[in-house]
Amino acid sequence: MKTTDSQKATLTSTHWGTYRVHTEAGRVKRLSGFEEDRDPSPIGQGIVDVLDGPLRIRRPMVRRGWLEQGPGGADGARGRDEFVEVSWDKAIGLVAGELDRVRSQYGNEAIYGGSYGWSSAGRFHHAQGQLRRFLNLIGGCTASVNTYSYAAAEVTLPHVLGGFTPFITGATSWDVISRHTELFVAFGGVPVKNGQVTSGGVGRHVQRAGVRQAAGCGVEFVNVSPLRSDMPDEAGAQWCPIRPGSDVALLLGIAHTLHEEGLADQAFLERYTVGFDRVLPYLTGAVDGVPKTAAWAAEQTELPAERIRALARDMAAKRTMISVSWSLTRQDNGEQPYWAAITVAAMLGQIGTPGGGIGFGYSAINAIGDCYRGIPSAALPQGRNPVGRFIPVARIADMLLHPGERFQYNGMTGVYPDIRLIYWVGGNPFHHHQDLVRLRRAWQRPDTIIVNEWCWNPQARHADIVLPVNTFLERSDFAASSRESYLIYMEQAIESVGESRSDFAIFADLADALGVREAFTEGRDESAWLAHLYGETRRRAAINGVQLPELEELRARGWFRTEVPDQPRILLRAFRDDPDAHPLKTPSGRIELYSETVAGFGYWECPGHAYWKEPAEWLGADNQPYPLHLISNQPATKLHSQLDHGSHSRSGKVNGREPVRIHPDDAAARELRDGDLVRLFNDRGSCLCTVVISDAVRPGVVQVSTGAWYDPPADDSLDISCLHGNPNVLTPDHGTSRLAQGPSALSCLVEVEACPGEPPAVAAFTPPPVRQA
């Protein structure tokens, strides 16, 4: 393919924004903001200095122990062993041979196809789609369901509202909120740093402008969060510094007040919902002897009871939008915050009104609250997975450590398979999983771990065979999404670095070695597939009334934008207008405040309605093992752990490590000062961070962003699990409940102490030893 010359700035799209790419002499020199984006994310700049840096993987690599001893459990060697460079021919032969051995001896269910889909915004070079297509053609694999982002909501909302995606992406838009909303109550805040990204690409960023416009129009914001920074300063929000993990108690206290003071909209409850008669005895305490009063909620939340009552009255008196962040699902009982928030919204009776009701995850990604006409784009066909086995995505360590053990999930019982081979592309489980010490132990068990990766991140370091993949700047593609109004042609900017190849080229060669090349490629090369998928995208768009340009026209111009919809975006408006003509896809066709289906599962912790259960770890326990609650939230300087080694992410570190933000009172009690090196620890592990003292965190809370590349020390005798500050060495690895089995990372207690002695230097950005074959 042609690459750009020194006079041309090509266009590319990423999950964190669209950029002009400036090259000189075949190298990327800088990225500049897309002319349509008034608030471009600086994350993209982080790739410039690492595209061809020391952490780039240029040739196929095989872990020395695996190469010399063959497949088998690694006994701690994964993540520590040196690597050996091999030729592509040898690498393809090794991978194909191992896939064939495992499927022949153990069956395809012994292969785990791991990928998390965030590696590229392009429609064709989508790592997860490429992997699944390939594995399905050779007999399939054990797969996963749901996401780390909001697994508890993915399972719960279909029972309560009859679906999931339409209620996330169909949120009432900011322009409607600006015109109609009086009170915006945000449980978990509106973190605009998270709104830098959307899976599938971002044309223009809207979250900060949306909040600013709403505040300028007089919308009153309330930030219910342990972190003041969860709401941008532009909102001028009232801060309710709630005790972490107690949002459900607060919502139940609000619900009780609405009922007790006659503020609930009975007409709405009767016409649009079912089951409130089953919820009410729980609220009043008739079921368990504990009325969920504002005073009771005050004990759980440490917010004043009168403040809770006043908030309930305010919400009933004004046009109110309730927002619940995605993060609230990532804790013990993470199914309950959304259910409780829907219950309160139904009692207020404003669901489906302009500016009222509920929204799920404002600024969790850029698309939530945007008013856009999405593009129904085509993707690489993946085919059917002949293997029926799956696991909830966050139960991977359980699967590896306990093959044959049963698990419960959403009313069914599954069995963990005995995984012999993991093939992972486009993701880093040593970022998004919990209890990384446990995961690292589990990661030693399979016979073989294969990854396609472009840099030496923790996932590559913990693999047996590493196949070097090129980046989005080294191939052409197009970005389009049903959650975006922009269509971007992603022009190849430079040649592939070293011997790196696209995922498609890698899987085509593997398919050839295993006798399914024609089925995988369908006789098309990358250019032909790109043209085919774009043609299908144009066809689908035309059916939906959107006329897209020809591919060559798009390539010449670089981008296309759909028109803004004529009708405002109001969540559940059609349902409110006529619930009989537009019923929900629940058994009753209504909002199910009580679900007979969930109640029938027999999970005591999910009795079929919004329910308060104390988290396993929280500050409200009488005998909590550690005195500080850790909030491990999304980072501001990167997407997950991507580009952590880049300049922008590094600029956010303090003395080369992740900062830990701690309240002045908690710092003083431990004689800590700004810039001190500290050790965060609990029974699961420990990590080193640098102190930043801030009154923007609630007393009793410490905050460390996720995304620091996992960096265990070489010396096992050190009482440190990560030198770099990855908080997931501390977080618990158990399901939210038996209903969704989502991650519970935000139910985590720790202690902080000054780091004794001089620790080893951070080695996360030093490549592993590599020798020639």
Side-chain angles (χ1 to χ4, degrees):
M1 288 184 182
K2 283 185 66 176
T3 56
T4 183
D5 59 38
S6 61
Q7 303 302 312
K8 183 180 178 184
T10 59
L11 200 61
T12 197
S13 183
T14 71
H15 299 299
W16 47 87
T18 298
Y19 302 91
R20 293 287 177 185
V21 184
H22 303 266
T23 63
E24 184 177 323
R27 297 176 66 88
V28 175
K29 303 302 290 185
R30 64 185 180 91
L31 273 60
S32 60
F34 178 41
E35 55 269 25
E36 291 278 298
D37 192 356
R38 297 182 179 179
D39 187 22
S41 169
I43 291 176
Q45 305 299 329
I47 197 169
V48 175
D49 59 318
V50 295
L51 265 176
D52 196 14
L55 286 164
R56 185 64 191 264
I57 304 171
R58 292 170 172 80
R59 295 173 186 84
M61 301 283 178
V62 182
R63 185 173 62 82
R64 181 180 178 180
W66 191 96
L67 189 63
E68 294 177 350
Q69 300 167 23
D75 194 27
R78 289 190 184 113
R80 294 181 173 174
D81 215 346
E82 68 178 6
F83 285 83
V84 180
E85 286 185 2
V86 299
S87 69
W88 268 110
D89 285 347
K90 179 160 187 172
I92 293 295
L94 289 172
V95 172
E98 184 60 1
L99 286 165
D100 200 37
R101 181 189 74 86
V102 170
R103 66 178 180 168
S104 298
Q105 292 186 15
Y106 305 103
N108 281 73
E109 71 175 29
I111 300 171
Y112 182 69
S115 176
Y116 208 50
W118 280 97
S119 68
S120 173
R123 298 306 301 167
F124 175 59
H125 294 290
H126 183 262
Q128 184 183 74
Q130 297 279 351
L131 174 68
R132 288 179 176 174
R133 178 178 175 85
F134 167 71
L135 290 178
N136 288 345
L137 283 170
I138 64 167
C141 64
T142 295
S144 62
V145 296
N146 304 137
T147 67
Y148 282 86
S149 296
Y150 41 39
E154 288 176 280
V155 175
T156 303
L157 286 186
H159 292 297
V160 183
L161 296 179
F164 174 71
T165 301
F167 301 103
I168 298 293
T169 60
T172 299
S173 55
W174 281 114
D175 58 327
V176 174
I177 290 168
S178 295
R179 292 196 302 270
H180 298 283
T181 303
E182 296 174 275
L183 180 63
F184 190 107
V185 183
F187 291 83
V190 180
V192 294
K193 63 178 176 56
N194 297 8
Q196 294 178 92
V197 308
T198 289
S199 178
V202 175
R204 65 184 179 95
H205 290 86
V206 302
Q207 294 299 324
R208 190 178 302 278
V211 173
R212 185 185 297 122
Q213 180 185 14
C217 290
V219 177
E220 178 186 356
F221 285 89
V222 177
N223 177 26
V224 183
S225 170
L227 307 178
R228 189 171 63 217
S229 57
D230 271 344
M231 187 73 73
D233 293 340
E234 293 94 323
Q238 300 176 40
W239 183 27
C240 293
I242 192 171
R243 176 190 274 162
S246 64
D247 299 83
V248 171
L250 174 57
L251 285 159
L252 292 174
I254 290 170
H256 188 280
T257 301
L258 293 175
H259 170 71
E260 186 179 55
E261 300 189 5
L263 299 175
D265 188 331
Q266 294 299 327
F268 184 92
L269 290 170
E270 291 171 9
R271 179 159 171 72
Y272 297 97
T273 77
V274 297
F276 185 68
D277 59 323
R278 305 290 297 272
V279 178
L280 190 56
Y282 176 70
L283 276 180
T284 60
V287 170
D288 58 4
V290 181
K292 311 308 179 294
T293 64
W296 168 84
E299 294 178 4
Q300 320 307 320
T301 64
E302 293 192 332
L303 297 175
E306 189 49 46
R307 177 72 184 96
I308 296 172
R309 296 188 192 97
L311 182 58
R313 295 167 189 148
D314 235 14
M315 293 169 74
K318 297 176 179 178
R319 179 59 59 89
T320 299
M321 176 62 72
I322 298 173
S323 172
V324 279
S325 71
W326 293 1
S327 62
L328 296 185
T329 69
R330 301 191 294 269
Q331 58 179 323
D332 270 353
N333 321 307
E335 297 83 359
Q336 300 305 323
Y338 276 32
W339 212 331
I342 293 168
T343 301
V344 170
M347 294 178 73
L348 293 174
Q350 299 183 32
I351 291 174
T353 63
I358 192 165
F360 305 102
Y362 281 95
S363 203
I365 57 174
N366 182 66
I368 309 298
D370 193 7
C371 188
Y372 58 88
R373 188 172 188 177
I375 299 171
S377 51
L380 184 70
Q382 297 178 11
R384 185 184 69 85
N385 185 355
V387 175
R389 302 285 287 273
F390 72 89
I391 63 165
V393 68
R395 302 275 56 80
I396 184 171
D398 289 350
M399 174 184 70
L400 296 177
L401 291 169
H402 304 292
E405 188 173 288
R406 295 180 179 272
F407 66 89
Q408 292 181 292
Y409 165 79
N410 199 21
M412 57 83 69
T413 299
V415 178
Y416 292 127
D418 186 3
I419 296 299
R420 297 292 177 142
L421 184 149
I422 296 174
Y423 201 142
W424 204 291
V425 300
N428 174 18
F430 289 94
H431 155 69
H432 52 246
H433 198 67
Q434 288 68 58
D435 195 349
L436 293 184
V437 176
R438 181 174 186 257
L439 178 66
R440 193 180 192 210
R441 185 169 70 252
W443 217 248
Q444 308 298 319
R445 293 180 62 89
D447 292 349
T448 302
I449 295 176
I450 306 161
V451 304
N452 295 1
E453 190 53 76
W454 74 279
C455 62
W456 283 114
N457 63 19
Q459 168 70 333
R461 291 171 183 266
H462 285 82
D464 297 312
I465 303 174
V466 184
L467 304 180
V469 71
N470 57 18
T471 71
F472 60 90
L473 294 174
E474 298 157 43
R475 60 201 181 207
S476 292
D477 210 333
F478 70 95
S481 170
S482 61
R483 297 187 287 192
E484 257 289 329
S485 58
Y486 284 84
L487 170 68
I488 307 295
Y489 189 83
M490 302 166 61
E491 182 86 36
Q492 181 180 350
I494 60 172
E495 299 291 348
S496 294
V497 172
E499 297 178 16
S500 63
R501 301 178 179 179
S502 68
D503 288 305
F504 176 79
I506 293 169
F507 288 126
D509 282 351
L510 287 171
D512 186 55
L514 292 168
V516 293
R517 184 184 187 93
E518 182 61 29
F520 181 79
T521 67
E522 296 184 18
R524 300 185 182 101
D525 62 10
E526 294 186 23
S527 295
W529 266 110
L530 194 60
H532 173 73
L533 294 179
Y534 185 73
E536 177 62 18
T537 296
R538 287 191 76 220
R539 188 188 68 80
R540 295 183 186 184
I543 292 172
N544 287 272
V546 178
Q547 299 301 317
L548 300 181
E550 295 278 357
L551 181 58
E552 285 308 310
E553 182 184 347
L554 175 67
R555 179 175 180 176
R557 186 184 179 191
W559 62 277
F560 172 85
R561 183 184 63 200
T562 58
E563 296 296 325
V564 176
D566 295 332
Q567 295 297 316
R569 188 183 293 271
I570 299 171
L571 183 63
L572 287 166
R573 182 176 190 172
F575 170 69
R576 185 185 183 93
D577 288 345
D578 191 337
D580 296 319
H582 303 284
L584 302 180
K585 295 180 180 179
T586 56
S588 65
R590 301 298 193 260
I591 299 169
E592 301 215 343
L593 302 182
Y594 180 89
S595 168
E596 294 282 1
T597 301
V598 174
F601 294 159
Y603 304 151
W604 70 266
E605 71 274 26
C606 291
H609 59 78
Y611 177 74
W612 165 252
K613 171 180 169 291
E614 285 195 5
E617 291 183 35
W618 78 306
L619 296 174
D622 291 334
N623 298 301
Q624 67 263 31
Y626 297 97
L628 299 172
H629 194 115
L630 171 64
I631 301 293
S632 51
N633 59 356
Q634 295 292 335
T637 58
K638 51 187 169 281
L639 167 58
H640 302 152
S641 67
Q642 291 189 55
L643 300 180
D644 187 41
H645 59 319
S647 58
H648 184 62
S649 180
R650 290 201 192 198
S651 72
K653 300 180 189 295
V654 180
N655 299 330
R657 290 182 168 87
E658 284 298 309
V660 53
R661 290 173 176 82
I662 185 171
H663 190 273
D665 293 348
D666 296 318
R670 293 160 177 78
E671 299 182 348
L672 300 176
R673 297 174 298 176
D674 269 320
D676 281 354
L677 182 64
V678 292
R679 175 177 170 265
L680 282 68
F681 65 94
N682 59 23
D683 291 343
R684 288 177 289 271
S686 62
C687 65
L688 300 184
C689 295
T690 307
V691 168
V692 172
I693 298 174
S694 172
D695 63 2
V697 297
R698 181 189 187 278
V701 169
V702 292
Q703 177 265 319
V704 181
S705 294
T706 58
W709 281 6
Y710 176 47
D711 188 20
D715 184 354
D716 281 339
S717 67
L718 293 175
D719 194 13
I720 302 170
S721 307
C722 179
L723 299 167
H724 194 199
N726 188 319
N728 273 329
V729 299
L730 303 161
T731 53
D733 183 14
H734 59 76
T736 49
S737 78
R738 287 174 290 177
L739 181 61
Q741 293 285 4
S744 298
L746 293 177
S747 297
C748 179
L749 297 180
V750 301
E751 179 58 288
V752 178
E753 65 179 8
C755 180
E758 185 68 25
V762 172
F765 303 141
T766 301
V770 174
R771 66 182 178 89
Q772 303 294 322

